[in-house]
Amino acid sequence: MKLLTHNMLTSHVKGVTKGYPLLIKATEVKVNEVEFNPQFVNRMIPKLEWSALVQAADGLGQRQDLPSELIPDYEKNEEFLKKVHRVLLEVEVIEGSLQCPESGREFPISRGIPNMLLSEDEV
Amino acid sequence: MLGDQYLQLQPVPSKTFSMAPSADCHRLLHINGPTVICHICYPVIPVSTTRQPTDMSSQEDTGAEQDPVPVEPSSVPSSESDATSGEIITVTIGATVPTGFENTAAEEVKEKIGADARISKDRGRIYFPISTDKLYQVHLLRSVDNLFVVVTEFDHYQFKESKEETLLELQQLASQLPWTNALEVWKLNGTLKKKKGHRKGGNGPKEKRNSDVMGERVADAEQLQQPEASPAEGLTKAGSGSDVETSTQDSDEAAPENKLIKFRVTCNRAGDKHSFSSNEAARDFGGAVQEFFQWKADMTKFDIEVLLNIHNEEVVVGIALTEESLHRRNITHFGPTTLRSTLCYGMLRLCRPQESDIILDPMCGTGAIPLEGAIEFYRSFYIAGDNNDMAVNRTLNNICHIQKQRGDKGSASGLPIDTVRWDLCSLPIRSSSVDIVITDMPFGKRMGSRKKNWDLYPSCLREMARVCRPGSGKAVLLTQDKKCFTKALTRMGGLWRRLHTVWVNVGGLHAAVYLLKRTTEMFGQTPEDVRESQGSVHPEGNTEDKELS
């Protein structure tokens, strides 16, 4: 699971109102090389919940001094964009779980695939 | 063969065509490089050397490939059109594409090759010109299933009354056709494929989708690590089609002339008025081809596949440039309903993925659609999801396979795609965060059921509307259950707007691809939404109101 995906995922346990962001508990993390495209990163940043991204990266020890808030004029800062690229696309959680911040319900991650299925009584 | 002297119109020897020329003949012209042949009366007429087959497609569409040619005697052949000296020639390429996506394919041809493609009356085929120096480009096309080079085309072939006469004429035809250029292209194509370790889409028996295929494919794909030329090339699913190496490869393999060429004829026939079957045509035409070239006929291990395509009065003779269909190229791990990649490509092209678009496939099956996207429209990000355990695992395996191939070639292997296991009626995705939803919805025949669709489709469409960005979001949905779909859609008129529909054929079933636009309406606030959330869902939508107290 890449952190870009994590940024989109939310808990949908019944009754939960603050199910985002999910807390990551990782037992295995990998870093893969993905081709860097600055324009892609630039256009993606506004679609992200920035603090959730930083928090997630931090939790995995992959923060690389990313700021808690977006700096102005980041568009031209290639070094910054490369860091963002790395945490968005290259860092992957292979084994672990995602935890709903409100209910505590855990969703397992196996082979990089989070299992977000709820059981019948949870829906 | 055919020279470019100007021959007087004279009665044609009975060996070829039995029609006498008339003063107003030249009704069925075929352009072959610097020469033009009238296939009815059969004289050879040289034309202005600047004439290119492209001119044919820019004519207003009468559907006729042959246009009245200004007959200008010219005896200076252009070196450009000289087939035998190895110079650049221009030929017509035919491509089979998923029915319904002819326009998409033509667009891709225009974009990647710069040629104007003509769509055949025989659905699922397009034709376009290309010069031999650009031939490799045809292998970059992602929307085509099969490619062939046209030997000759007849727009209005006049079949004889009786079967015997018709078949006899077909036999006679074999020795009269302008094979030279097409064979040159076939040869050239053979060398191109060796150079790039071409991807043979490898489908074997048509449309076989069961999991037996899976084991076979994986085994073959594992063996095939060297993309270089080898006689036992087997089946590979190399997904990255754009890595044509231009360095000179070893050309040790015997040139076709030095060894006995094996061939087969494949005939596709459609139309009610023919007196013969495709087998008969293939057999007789093939017999004559064998006579003429002294090749050996072999139905399974052939070097050259001659295509004889007959659709009513349209007859096209071609030579295949692709061995097996390319349409399952990315997938090594099949599932019961895996879509062919060319269809996936067509669907993706329809929604025009933009840079950094978040693209969701909530019922991904084996991941064919998002994987094709991650490879071909790689500037977006794909999230593939399914509720089925086997499906997500197969998706992951398919992704890993492609990534490993890329890694082996030394390039950055990571693809912009992730896989999640989820319930599509309750997506664990933030609202309004997705740009495109693209998926193959259960047909009810191969998976799911009609009854299930009644309940599934509305919930699906609602959830998709929730996660999709209002105003700019889009959906591209393939389904065979058109009735159920359109009904479900009318109940969410507030959230989705129909932009376009493409009628397609999927494994013999008539299906549709719906392109939808997400309206600016906020989710949960349209009248339909309010009713939906208050009442329960009924298949006959209009009983809903009665439910509200």
Side-chain angles (χ1 to χ4, degrees):
Chain A
M1 181 199 69
K2 300 175 167 54
L3 294 186
L4 174 47
T5 304
H6 166 261
N7 205 262
M8 304 288 138
L9 288 174
T10 178
S11 166
H12 54 140
V13 173
K14 197 171 179 183
V16 163
T17 48
K18 292 199 169 70
Y20 181 90
L22 293 157
L23 302 161
I24 306 179
K25 294 179 179 181
T27 52
E28 188 187 328
V29 175
K30 249 179 24 180
V31 180
N32 273 328
E33 196 190 341
V34 177
E35 205 182 306
F36 171 63
N37 178 356
Q39 266 310 94
F40 175 94
V41 181
N42 260 322
R43 292 182 59 153
M44 191 59 83
I45 289 175
K47 299 182 186 183
L48 304 169
E49 286 291 323
W50 180 256
S51 53
L53 178 69
V54 176
Q55 190 184 6
D58 202 30
L60 297 176
Q62 297 282 346
R63 185 170 172 164
Q64 310 164 99
D65 335 301
L66 283 176
S68 318
E69 276 176 25
L70 281 170
I71 49 172
D73 288 335
Y74 62 77
E75 295 92 343
K76 309 254 172 52
N77 189 336
E78 182 147 313
E79 207 187 297
F80 172 77
L81 293 177
K82 278 205 172 124
K83 286 186 187 166
V84 180
H85 164 83
R86 187 168 184 281
V87 302
L88 280 180
L89 297 175
E90 297 189 325
V91 175
E92 286 191 62
V93 179
I94 304 295
E95 299 288 330
S97 67
L98 295 172
Q99 187 176 41
C100 171
E102 190 177 313
S103 68
R105 207 287 198 188
E106 286 196 14
F107 299 96
I109 303 175
S110 168
R111 291 183 77 203
I113 304 173
N115 182 350
M116 307 299 295
L117 287 177
L118 294 169
S119 55
E120 283 193 13
D121 46 324
E122 285 175 297
V123 172
Chain B
M1 283 253 280
L2 308 158
D4 45 22
Q5 318 99 310
Y6 183 72
L7 302 176
Q8 293 292 328
L9 291 182
Q10 54 200 321
V12 174
S14 59
K15 180 175 168 287
T16 54
F17 291 83
S18 55
M19 285 187 240
S22 60
D24 60 353
C25 194
H26 293 348
R27 280 178 286 139
L28 194 65
L29 296 172
H30 172 69
I31 297 172
N32 176 41
T35 61
V36 174
I37 311 145
C38 171
H39 276 291
I40 296 177
C41 64
Y42 210 65
V44 176
I45 310 141
V47 295
S48 160
T49 55
T50 55
R51 177 118 190 158
Q52 293 293 333
T54 30
D55 292 1
M56 294 195 287
S57 57
S58 60
Q59 293 289 330
E60 60 191 309
D61 60 315
T62 53
E65 288 78 45
Q66 293 80 14
D67 309 310
V69 172
V71 179
E72 301 159 40
S74 159
S75 50
V76 181
S78 159
S79 59
E80 224 179 63
S81 325
D82 184 343
T84 52
S85 71
E87 307 256 353
I88 297 168
I89 53 173
T90 299
V91 291
T92 302
I93 298 289
T96 53
V97 305
T99 330
F101 283 103
E102 294 89 350
N103 284 309
T104 312
E107 244 182 56
E108 193 194 9
V109 168
K110 183 75 182 173
E111 179 188 296
K112 292 184 179 165
I113 298 180
D116 289 311
R118 168 168 48 95
I119 295 170
S120 164
K121 280 182 288 203
D122 185 7
R123 292 189 77 210
R125 279 211 185 88
I126 64 169
Y127 296 94
F128 57 92
I130 199 162
S131 54
T132 43
D133 56 334
K134 305 261 169 51
L135 188 67
Y136 71 92
Q137 289 174 351
V138 302
H139 294 293
L140 303 178
L141 297 172
R142 309 286 289 187
S143 54
V144 306
D145 288 321
N146 282 297
L147 290 161
F148 57 93
V149 52
V150 173
V151 174
T152 198
E153 296 174 76
F154 298 90
D155 202 46
H156 294 293
Y157 191 93
Q158 300 301 313
F159 289 100
K160 290 284 200 263
E161 287 289 328
S162 75
K163 186 204 291 204
E164 289 69 32
E165 286 180 300
T166 306
L167 291 175
L168 183 63
E169 192 172 67
L170 275 180
Q171 287 176 45
Q172 290 165 347
L173 198 57
S175 55
Q176 304 303 323
L177 298 178
W179 294 98
T180 316
N181 283 6
L183 286 170
E184 282 298 316
V185 170
W186 168 82
K187 240 188 276 177
L188 176 61
N189 185 63
T191 62
L192 279 181
K193 286 200 285 201
K194 305 280 183 228
K195 274 180 192 172
K196 97 192 237 303
H198 73 289
R199 44 190 171 86
K200 283 164 81 166
N203 187 28
K206 230 169 148 63
E207 310 286 299
K208 190 168 173 189
R209 286 194 176 85
N210 57 42
S211 46
D212 291 336
V213 180
M214 179 169 99
E216 214 177 271
R217 294 283 176 270
V218 174
D220 287 338
E222 307 293 275
Q223 275 172 13
L224 206 292
Q225 287 305 319
Q226 312 87 342
E228 263 72 55
S230 79
E233 258 178 74
L235 303 159
T236 181
K237 304 292 178 300
S240 42
S242 50
D243 56 342
V244 178
E245 291 134 34
T246 49
S247 61
T248 50
Q249 266 297 349
D250 54 336
S251 41
D252 299 344
E253 93 280 354
E257 295 96 320
N258 300 345
K259 64 173 182 150
L260 182 63
I261 290 188
K262 294 191 277 195
F263 84 106
R264 66 166 277 162
V265 173
T266 305
C267 177
N268 286 307
R269 189 200 63 78
D272 345 320
K273 303 212 179 91
H274 302 135
S275 56
F276 57 92
S277 74
S278 58
N279 282 339
E280 290 165 335
R283 179 198 64 205
D284 286 12
F285 185 69
V289 167
Q290 179 168 28
E291 249 321 286
F292 185 62
F293 285 108
Q294 294 295 300
W295 293 335
K296 180 168 154 47
D298 190 326
M299 294 302 278
T300 49
K301 291 185 174 51
F302 47 89
D303 304 301
I304 297 184
E305 184 182 10
V306 175
L307 305 167
L308 178 59
N309 293 326
I310 303 173
H311 183 255
N312 291 322
E313 290 186 329
E314 186 186 84
V315 175
V316 178
V317 180
I319 298 179
L321 296 177
T322 49
E323 270 141 34
E324 305 239 15
S325 193
L326 298 165
H327 55 68
R328 277 250 184 69
R329 57 178 163 256
N330 303 327
I331 304 296
T332 41
H333 296 78
F334 289 84
T337 56
T338 298
L339 265 193
R340 43 187 178 156
S341 300
T342 43
L343 195 48
C344 297
Y345 179 84
M347 286 175 68
L348 282 158
R349 231 197 132 92
L350 207 58
C351 64
R352 302 183 195 285
Q354 301 298 305
E355 186 155 42
S356 79
D357 270 351
I358 307 261
I359 302 182
L360 212 75
D361 182 347
M363 292 181 258
C364 67
T366 52
I369 300 175
L371 190 50
E372 178 72 18
I375 294 167
E376 189 64 17
F377 298 93
Y378 53 85
R379 294 191 193 281
S380 307
F381 186 75
Y382 298 81
I383 307 180
D386 204 291
N387 64 352
N388 182 288
D389 189 42
M390 278 204 300
V392 294
N393 277 309
R394 282 191 184 127
T395 300
L396 182 64
N397 291 340
N398 286 323
I399 295 170
C400 289
H401 180 83
I402 302 282
Q403 288 186 157
K404 182 169 190 306
Q405 275 181 342
R406 284 152 69 112
D408 289 343
K409 285 190 197 132
S411 40
S413 62
L415 287 170
I417 181 170
D418 238 337
T419 310
V420 182
R421 193 163 168 211
W422 62 36
D423 170 10
L424 94 128
C425 295
S426 173
L427 290 170
I429 298 272
R430 284 196 274 131
S431 298
S432 311
S433 61
V434 168
D435 296 294
I436 297 174
V437 176
I438 179 167
T439 198
D440 171 6
M441 298 179 76
F443 281 2
K445 279 199 171 159
R446 284 177 295 150
M447 178 140 277
S449 68
R450 277 270 147 76
K451 176 171 188 308
K452 278 196 200 147
N453 288 352
W454 276 123
D455 298 328
L456 182 67
Y457 280 23
S459 321
C460 235
L461 283 167
R462 277 179 53 76
E463 232 352 45
M464 291 180 190
R466 180 185 67 78
V467 302
C468 209
R469 228 180 286 281
S472 61
K474 284 179 279 203
V476 182
L477 309 170
L478 168 65
T479 180
Q480 198 244 338
D481 202 342
K482 305 179 280 285
K483 185 171 165 200
C484 185
F485 183 87
T486 43
K487 181 106 191 208
L489 199 59
T490 51
R491 287 157 58 192
M492 3 226 122
L495 297 170
W496 292 110
R497 186 163 59 90
R498 268 171 83 160
L499 283 186
H500 185 52
T501 308
V502 180
W503 306 103
V504 300
N505 188 307
V506 184
L509 302 172
H510 290 294
V513 176
Y514 294 95
L515 175 63
L516 307 176
K517 181 93 179 191
R518 178 69 175 83
T519 62
T520 49
E521 295 292 335
M522 290 310 291
F523 184 79
Q525 282 157 27
T526 60
E528 291 93 344
D529 271 331
V530 176
R531 279 208 299 273
E532 289 278 351
S533 56
Q534 288 177 345
S536 58
V537 175
H538 278 279
E540 294 81 38
N542 51 15
T543 59
E544 258 182 277
D545 288 338
K546 296 184 187 145
E547 296 270 308
L548 302 174
S549 53

